[in-house]
Amino acid sequence: MMYKSFYGYLMGVTLRYVDDRNDAEELVNDSFIKIFKSIGQFNGPKYEDQLQKAFKGWIARISSRTAIDFLRGKKTFLYVDDITEEQQPLIELNAISQLNVQDIMKLLNELPETHKLIFNMYEIEGFSHEEISKILNIPESSCRVYLTRAKNKLRELYKNSLMNSYEPTTIQNIRSV
């Protein structure tokens, strides 16, 4: 029953890290194995009305770490100690839009794998730079640079998606009408 109840939720967590659906399915199943093996370690909250929220957070953390371990084993990380955050230009974008989840996921999936991983860990999962650097075995400064690059790339992708959605009609398109 637990598997059926939380499968979709954990698939969503895993797909934030892994693009390939087959890998994601395998990682969700691996996550459930870890959850079932360590269910005794889950410490529920004091109040019963917070139980589901606490449990979802706990299993999401297991699932995200399972995906991170998978990615870490699959790829080696580059060190970017020689590049400082100040050298990364910030692009300001003041447009406000109602993006839905699919739009956001599409933009995230266009990021390079390392950028996507660190963005997810920091911005979505709430890991600190120190925690990320320990988990991924990279310097903290590299983590900060990857995050800055990911944010800049997302801004650029978002800006481009806005521009493409308001592309002017060409004369050829007008003639065909």
Side-chain angles (χ1 to χ4, degrees), residues 16 20 23 27 36 44 53 64-65 80 91 94 118-119 133 142 146 153 163 175:
R16 287 196 309 247
D20 185 280
D23 287 341
L27 290 169
F36 292 136
K53 184 177 178 180
S64 64
R65 288 190 178 212
V80 288
I91 302 167
N94 293 325
I118 291 175
F119 181 87
S133 70
S142 295
Y146 279 125
K153 181 71 174 173
M163 301 217 15
R175 286 182 188 159

Side-chain angles (χ1 to χ4, degrees), residues 14 17-18 27 62-72:
T14 304
Y17 292 93
V18 181
L27 290 169
I62 291 172
S63 182
S64 64
R65 288 190 178 212
T66 301
I68 291 164
D69 289 344
F70 170 78
L71 292 172
R72 192 177 357 170

Side-chain angles (χ1 to χ4, degrees), residues 36-141:
F36 292 136
K37 283 184 177 179
S38 60
I39 194 82
Q41 296 174 7
F42 173 70
N43 293 323
K46 191 192 274 190
Y47 302 105
E48 220 170 289
D49 61 330
Q50 298 173 349
L51 182 63
Q52 183 166 356
K53 184 177 178 180
F55 185 71
K56 283 178 83 172
W58 183 71
I59 64 173
R61 197 163 189 95
I62 291 172
S63 182
S64 64
R65 288 190 178 212
T66 301
I68 291 164
D69 289 344
F70 170 78
L71 292 172
R72 192 177 357 170
K74 183 177 151 184
K75 183 174 182 175
T76 58
F77 293 93
L78 301 174
Y79 293 98
V80 288
D81 284 334
D82 53 332
I83 300 173
T84 63
E85 284 181 79
E86 293 79 35
Q87 292 173 322
Q88 297 295 315
L90 289 177
I91 302 167
E92 288 298 320
L93 187 61
N94 293 325
I96 298 173
S97 174
Q98 296 294 326
L99 289 177
N100 64 34
V101 174
Q102 284 113 0
D103 294 332
I104 294 169
M105 288 303 295
K106 184 179 175 187
L107 293 176
L108 283 175
N109 285 334
E110 291 185 40
L111 290 176
E113 192 172 277
T114 304
H115 296 73
K116 178 181 170 183
L117 174 64
I118 291 175
F119 181 87
N120 278 324
M121 291 178 74
Y122 186 82
E123 294 294 340
I124 297 173
E125 302 295 334
F127 288 96
S128 70
H129 287 295
E130 183 181 355
E131 290 173 313
I132 296 169
S133 70
K134 287 179 182 173
I135 291 169
L136 299 179
N137 197 26
I138 62 173
E140 200 171 319
S141 60

